Amino acid sequence: MNRITLNNVTKVFNQGRPNEYAAVRGVSLTIEPNRVTCLKGPSGSGKSTLLSMIGCLSRPTSGRILLGEQMISGLPERFLTDIRRHTFGFIFQQFNLISGLSVLENVILPAYPLAPDHRTLMKSAHELLERFELGHKAESPVQWLSGGEAQRAAICRALINDPQILIADEPTANLDTKLSHAFMGQIAQLRKLGKTILITSHDPVVFDSPVVDSVVELQDGAVLQEAVDAA
Amino acid sequence: MNFIRRQRYLVDYIISSMLRRKGKNLGLMLVYSLIVFMLASVMLFTHALKQEVGLLLHSSPEIILQRMVAGRHDFIPASYLEKMGRIRGVTSRKGRLWGYLYDPSVKANYTLMVSDEQALAATEVIIGSAIARARGVVPGDYISFRSFDGETYSFQIKSLLDHETELVSADLVLLNSKAYHALFGMPEGVYTDIVLSVSNLREVPKIAEKLSQRLPDTRPILKQEILRTYDAIFSWRQGILFVLLAGAIMAFVIFAWDKASGLSAEEKREIGILKSIGWETSDVLHMKFWEGALLSLLSFFIGYLLAYLHVFYASASLFEPVLKGWAVLYPQFQLSPSVDGLQVATLFFFTVFPYVVATIIPIWQVAVTDPDAVMR
Amino acid sequence: MRKSDHFFILLLTLTTLFVASLVDTTRWGPEAKARLDRTRELVAQLGLSDPALFTEARYTRHLSQADLHSAFQDHPMAMEHFPSGSLLLPPQLGTK
C-alpha cells in the first residue's frame, strides 16, 4: 500500500505572463492508504489542481509528490501516463462518459491502451457492472442512463484497471441529495475493498459523511486546516 | 502481440465512434467509393483499350502509301505499283480499294472495302456486326445502297464478320471490286491507297524515304506512327476525362478536409476524456489513423473492384455514350483484363494517403493537450 | 464478435477480391487469345489501320490516315483535334 506525500507543492499557471497566478502554493500533505480523504474548499481554492497533480494528470511547478517511495513529480509524460493507468482511477464532475457508446464500451475504455486479453477484460467489466447493478444496462447507450446510473457507470470505468487509488473531482456536484448519499454508500463499498479514495468537494453530504476519514480544507491554494475526524 | 491487441481495441473504439454518425460516414464512404470508381474505371478502360488496340494494330501493314493532290488525299494510280520499282525489304505490295458510304436510313457511316480474299459475287456483301444491329438484318437478307449516280443497288448479305472482331470491323462492308466501282463510279486503274509489307521493321524508315523520293506526291504512313497516334490519343482522352473529374475531386477534397479536419467541440472534449482516463497521445493518433484508414481503404477497394467489374465484365457500359459521340455504329467488344500495377499504385496513393493525412494532422494539436484539461 | 473483427474480415475479403482481380487479369485464357488471333488475322488480311471506335467522321474513323492539317474535315460541328477548332465557329449557312 502506497502512501502519497506532498512536499511544499506549488502550481503556477501562465508563468511569466501578466495573467500569472498560483493555484496551489506550498502545500505539504500526507494521504494515508486505504482511507477516504476529502479535499474541501470553495471553487478556486486549488483543490482540483492539487488533485490533478496527485493523479499524475499534471506536474507541479515546484515541490515534490511521492507515491510510496517513488517521486512522481519530475517524471516525463510517458511515465506519468503509465503510472496513472495502473495506479489511479478517475471519476469526474460531469462523469465525462462518451455519449453514443454503450455503457460497456465506456467502462472498458481506460483498458484499451493497456490492451489486456479481450475475454478477461469483458469478464471483469461484466463483474463490475453486476456489482454496481448495471448488468442489464451494459448494451444501452450512456445517454439513456439516469443520473444515478451514469454515476455508477463512471465508477465502474474508474475501476476497470483495478487501480489502487481512486480520485473523484466534485463527484456529487450534479447529483441530488439522495443520489449523493447513494454515491457515498458506493465509496464506503470501495473502501471496504481496500482502495485509497481521494475526493474534492464543497458538498456537506460528502465531507460530513461518516465514510470520510479525513478532511483537508483548502483556501486560496493553501491548506487552511487539516482536520482528522475518526468515523 | 500487445501492439496488435491494442490496435484491435482502437479499431473497436473508432468503429463505435463512427457508427454514431452512421449517415454521415456512410455518405462519405459512398462518395469516396464513387470517386475511386470513376477514376479507376477511366484508368482501367483506357489502359486495356490501349493495350488491345496496340496488340491488334501490330498486324496492320507496315506502310500505307497515300497520294496527295493539292493538300488532300486522292486516288493513287495503279501504275505507281510499278513506278516505285523494286525496293529491298518489301515483301508484298498491294493496292486497296475502300471508301465511306453514308446511309441516310440509319444516319450511319459505313466503311466499304473491296476484299478479294472473300471471293464475293458482285451482288454479295459481308457486313460488320454493328451494321447488322443498326439495320436489323441477318445473313440472307438484302441490303441496298444508293450509288453515286442515284441508282439503288441491292446486295445479299453473305455473312457477318465475326462478332468478336467488332473492335476493328464494326462498320465494315466487304464487297467485290465490280460492285465497288459501280457504287462509287470510280475510274478503273486507280486505288484508294497502297499497302506495303516489310519483314524487317528496322528497314521501314529507309523504305519510306525511298518511296517519297521515287513518288514525291505520296505520303507514307508508317505502322509505328499509327501505334504512336493511338497511344497518344487514348492518353489524351484519359487526360480530358481526368480534367473533368478534377472538379469532382476538388469538391470531394474540400468536403473530406472539412469532415476530417474540422474537429467539433464534442470531439475535442472526447479526446480530453480519453487522455484523462489514461490514453496517450500516440493512442489518440493511432485511433485517428484507423478512422482515416478504415474509410479510405474500404472506399478504395469497393470503388476499384466495382470499376474492375464495370470495365471488364460490363463492357464499360457507362463510357459508351462518351466514346460513341455522334456515331450510330458502335462496336460491342470485350476487353481482355489488363492492369498496370504502377497506375493502380498511383491511384491507391492519391486516394488513400491524403485522406489519412487529412484525418491525422488536425488531431495532433488536440491530442497533445494536457490530460487534466477536463478538470479545469 | 467484436466490431474490429467485422472490419478486419471485411478488409480481408476486399483485399482477397482485389488480389483475385489481379490474378483475373492473367486469365488470358486460350479463348481470349483465339479471339485476338482471329481479329489480328482480319486486320492483316484487310490491312486495317484503325479501330472502329469513332465512326462519326472519316478523320475519326481512320484517324491515322486522316489529313489532320485541314480543319472541319467532314462535319462543320465535329469535334476538333486542334484547340482552335473550339474557338472558330462553323460557317453560318442559310442565314441572310
Side-chain angles (χ1 to χ4, degrees):
Chain A
M1 278 295 144
N2 284 324
R3 144 183 310 141
I4 302 166
T5 318
L6 283 76
N7 200 340
N8 202 19
V9 169
T10 300
K11 178 77 179 180
V12 181
F13 286 112
N14 304 323
Q15 207 167 14
R17 274 187 269 166
N19 57 349
E20 170 181 309
Y21 82 102
V24 174
R25 333 156 181 245
V27 172
S28 297
L29 195 66
T30 306
I31 293 156
E32 296 296 331
N34 197 13
R35 291 286 178 90
V36 179
T37 307
C38 179
L39 299 175
K40 170 189 168 186
S43 53
S45 60
K47 53 189 186 329
S48 287
T49 312
L50 195 60
L51 201 62
S52 79
M53 286 189 289
I54 295 170
C56 298
L57 288 168
S58 59
R59 270 176 290 178
T61 313
S62 67
R64 300 161 161 216
I65 302 173
L66 287 104
L67 179 67
E69 296 302 310
Q70 192 184 14
M71 193 167 80
I72 57 173
S73 45
L75 292 173
E77 197 200 308
R78 276 188 64 85
F79 294 92
L80 276 185
T81 310
D82 200 48
I83 292 175
R84 181 149 50 92
R85 282 171 185 165
H86 291 97
T87 320
F88 296 98
F90 294 86
I91 300 162
F92 301 99
Q93 192 174 350
Q94 319 271 359
F95 304 128
N96 280 342
L97 297 170
I98 292 183
S99 71
L101 302 196
S102 72
V103 173
L104 184 65
E105 281 170 326
N106 261 287
V107 166
I108 58 179
L109 270 186
Y112 283 7
L114 300 174
D117 176 62
H118 190 252
R119 215 169 290 165
T120 322
L121 178 64
M122 290 318 256
K123 194 163 156 271
S124 48
H126 279 294
E127 276 169 13
L128 267 176
L129 288 173
E130 286 302 330
R131 190 188 309 151
F132 287 92
E133 291 157 32
L134 280 171
H136 59 296
K137 293 273 183 181
E139 300 303 329
S140 327
V142 283
Q143 66 269 31
W144 293 1
L145 298 182
S146 69
E149 287 167 338
Q151 169 205 336
R152 278 177 284 152
I155 296 173
C156 290
R157 188 179 66 181
L159 291 173
I160 191 69
N161 285 343
D162 196 21
Q164 182 202 332
I165 303 162
L166 221 73
I167 283 180
D169 182 34
E170 302 273 9
T172 60
N174 292 322
L175 298 178
D176 60 25
T177 319
K178 193 175 151 228
L179 284 175
S180 301
H181 281 293
F183 179 78
M184 291 318 288
Q186 283 139 14
I187 294 295
Q189 203 186 337
L190 295 175
R191 185 172 168 246
K192 237 177 267 164
L193 291 170
K195 307 279 180 201
T196 305
I197 294 148
L198 199 55
I199 310 174
T200 65
S201 185
H202 54 266
D203 181 359
V205 177
V206 176
F207 56 74
D208 289 345
S209 162
V211 184
V212 174
D213 295 301
S214 62
V215 176
V216 177
E217 196 172 345
L218 289 168
Q219 198 172 41
D220 296 329
V223 180
L224 192 69
Q225 177 200 359
E226 199 172 343
V228 182
D229 41 342
Chain B
M1 198 54 217
N2 193 48
F3 179 80
I4 294 170
R5 273 215 300 261
R6 194 165 68 104
Q7 301 306 323
R8 280 182 71 189
Y9 278 121
L10 295 179
V11 173
D12 276 344
Y13 173 79
I14 198 61
I15 293 176
S16 296
S17 173
M18 286 170 86
L19 283 177
R20 292 182 296 180
R21 287 172 279 272
K22 213 181 281 175
K24 197 177 174 189
N25 282 311
L26 281 180
L28 185 65
M29 198 152 119
L30 194 78
V31 177
Y32 204 152
S33 308
L34 203 68
I35 297 249
V36 175
F37 169 77
M38 291 300 288
L39 290 174
S41 291
V42 172
M43 206 187 77
L44 291 174
F45 184 69
T46 23
H47 178 74
L49 192 60
K50 228 156 117 172
Q51 188 96 349
E52 188 99 352
V53 168
L55 282 171
L56 291 178
L57 294 186
H58 258 294
S59 10
S60 60
E62 279 71 29
I63 298 173
I64 297 173
L65 199 63
Q66 274 181 355
R67 181 172 172 235
M68 306 296 286
V69 174
R72 299 197 155 245
H73 33 98
D74 204 349
F75 299 123
I76 192 161
S79 59
Y80 274 39
L81 280 170
E82 281 79 52
K83 209 175 147 192
M84 75 174 75
R86 283 197 62 83
I87 299 173
R88 260 185 50 154
V90 176
T91 51
S92 81
R93 54 177 96 164
K94 180 175 95 167
R96 289 197 307 171
L97 279 170
W98 60 277
Y100 304 100
L101 187 88
Y102 179 68
D103 182 349
S105 65
V106 289
K107 296 193 172 78
N109 282 311
Y110 303 152
T111 301
L112 268 66
M113 206 169 237
V114 172
S115 169
D116 299 328
E117 286 86 351
Q118 304 286 352
L120 290 162
T123 55
E124 280 176 342
V125 287
I126 296 176
I127 61 173
S129 305
I131 300 178
R133 267 200 307 279
R135 293 279 301 238
V137 291
V138 290
D141 286 356
Y142 284 88
I143 190 166
S144 47
F145 300 130
R146 223 171 105 93
S147 74
F148 76 106
D149 52 2
E151 294 284 324
T152 303
Y153 291 91
S154 275
F155 297 93
Q156 189 175 28
I157 299 162
K158 190 183 174 196
S159 62
L160 299 185
L161 285 166
D162 194 342
H163 166 69
E164 292 184 327
T165 65
E166 261 189 62
L167 187 54
V168 291
S169 72
D171 67 337
L172 289 186
V173 176
L174 303 185
L175 68 178
N176 105 351
S177 109
K178 213 175 134 206
Y180 179 88
H181 283 102
L183 268 179
F184 293 120
M186 249 175 81
E188 294 285 340
V190 294
Y191 292 120
T192 312
D193 52 27
I194 292 173
V195 294
L196 301 164
S197 299
V198 178
S199 52
N200 187 354
L201 279 181
R202 268 181 301 184
E203 289 176 34
V204 169
K206 202 104 203 135
I207 293 169
E209 207 186 307
K210 261 184 214 162
L211 282 171
S212 36
Q213 273 166 13
R214 292 186 193 174
L215 307 167
D217 61 342
T218 61
R219 170 172 88 122
I221 299 163
L222 310 185
K223 187 169 81 176
Q224 296 312 315
E225 280 172 19
I226 295 175
L227 291 174
R228 227 178 303 131
T229 305
Y230 276 98
D231 216 45
I233 203 74
F234 287 133
S235 305
W236 182 77
R237 271 169 205 269
Q238 184 182 33
I240 289 270
L241 270 166
F242 275 145
V243 168
L244 292 178
L245 277 173
I249 295 166
M250 286 309 288
F252 175 73
V253 166
I254 294 167
F255 174 50
W257 182 265
D258 180 58
K259 156 74 185 57
S261 64
L263 278 182
S264 62
E266 198 194 339
E267 261 178 303
K268 282 182 188 159
R269 194 181 136 258
E270 280 172 14
I271 289 166
I273 295 173
L274 294 176
K275 290 222 58 175
S276 71
I277 59 174
W279 285 40
E280 265 182 72
T281 305
S282 69
D283 296 322
V284 176
L285 290 176
H286 276 147
M287 179 266 283
K288 269 288 171 181
F289 161 80
W290 279 114
E291 179 180 338
L294 192 143
L295 207 92
S296 50
L297 279 178
L298 292 186
S299 305
F300 173 80
F301 283 130
I302 292 171
Y304 177 84
L305 288 169
L306 286 178
Y308 189 85
L309 291 179
H310 167 229
V311 171
F312 297 121
Y313 287 90
S315 307
S317 43
L318 290 181
F319 292 144
E320 202 181 300
V322 180
L323 287 167
K324 207 168 161 179
W326 293 4
V328 173
L329 301 177
Y330 186 72
Q332 283 182 351
F333 54 94
Q334 181 69 52
L335 290 170
S336 308
S338 149
V339 171
D340 181 357
L342 186 69
Q343 272 191 337
V344 176
T346 313
L347 184 72
F348 180 82
F349 184 79
F350 279 105
T351 50
V352 171
F353 186 72
Y355 189 75
V356 175
V357 172
T359 339
I360 294 185
I361 295 284
I363 208 80
W364 191 273
Q365 260 192 328
V366 184
V368 295
T369 48
D370 294 330
D372 67 331
V374 281
M375 285 175 73
R376 286 185 197 150
Chain C
M1 206 158 52
R2 289 168 65 178
K3 282 171 178 159
S4 53
D5 293 343
H6 287 284
F7 165 66
F8 285 119
I9 287 171
L10 185 62
L11 191 63
L12 194 73
T13 316
L14 288 172
T15 317
T16 314
L17 284 174
F18 177 72
V19 173
S21 83
L22 294 182
V23 172
D24 187 54
T25 60
T26 59
R27 155 196 80 98
W28 270 85
E31 192 190 328
K33 186 155 181 334
R35 174 168 62 84
L36 202 64
D37 285 345
R38 269 202 296 281
T39 315
R40 289 178 71 149
E41 200 181 308
L42 186 75
V43 169
Q45 190 192 91
L46 298 173
L48 301 177
S49 56
D50 298 80
L53 271 177
F54 318 110
T55 57
E56 61 257 71
R58 57 168 208 235
Y59 70 93
T60 53
R61 172 63 179 93
H62 288 101
L63 187 65
S64 65
Q65 300 185 42
D67 164 22
L68 285 177
H69 300 279
S70 43
F72 308 130
Q73 296 174 38
D74 279 275
H75 192 285
M77 286 285 281
M79 266 279 275
E80 265 300 330
H81 282 276
F82 293 113
S84 57
S86 59
L87 301 173
L88 292 166
L89 281 174
Q92 300 287 304
L93 298 175
T95 53
K96 256 191 225 176

